[in-house]
Amino acid sequence: TTTTLSPVTTTTTPNPFSTTPMCSRGEVDVAFIVDVSGSVGLDNFALVRNGIATAVSRLTIGQDSIRVAFMRYHTRQFLEFDFNDSFSASAIAAVIRNLIYDDIR
């Protein structure tokens, strides 16, 4: 008995999570604006807060590289920190992880 195999073809898909920088300059401002209204709820706020803190801890933060700001809002906005308040990823992540969901009206 003879078996004939079909030729195998492969397709290469570009990696959307490439580590190649998108910009030649590392100067970027990243603002996180987070809804703290009653519809969000404590559990969802904790997920968002911890996700942002993890992302921030992985950034190369510095005065001449990535700067981060964080604002929360409900019926009013509350600026937790601005772009020039800190250039330490660990300090910024700690502030974010310690934010309390208070459903401010």
Side-chain angles (χ1 to χ4, degrees):
T1 307
T2 304
T3 304
T4 305
L5 299 175
S6 300
V8 176
T9 59
T10 59
T11 304
T12 304
T13 305
N15 180 358
F17 303 105
S18 172
T19 57
T20 305
M22 294 175 62
C23 303
S24 60
R25 295 174 49 183
E27 298 173 11
V28 177
D29 290 341
V30 178
F32 294 97
I33 304 170
V34 177
D35 180 0
V36 294
S37 64
S39 63
V40 172
L42 179 61
D43 292 339
N44 288 329
F45 175 76
L47 286 171
V48 170
R49 177 193 62 202
N50 293 334
I52 292 171
T54 299
V56 165
S57 68
R58 295 177 180 171
L59 296 175
T60 303
I61 294 179
Q63 187 172 5
D64 296 322
S65 56
I66 300 172
R67 302 182 313 162
V68 176
F70 188 98
M71 178 185 293
R72 58 191 170 102
Y73 72 93
H74 187 312
T75 56
R76 299 179 294 163
Q77 68 274 4
F78 300 90
L79 182 63
E80 296 295 338
F81 53 86
D82 205 349
F83 294 113
N84 293 317
D85 288 348
S86 178
F87 300 116
S88 163
S90 60
I92 293 171
V95 168
I96 294 170
R97 279 195 179 91
N98 290 314
L99 290 174
I100 297 171
Y101 175 75
D102 51 13
D103 186 20
I104 298 170
R105 299 190 191 276

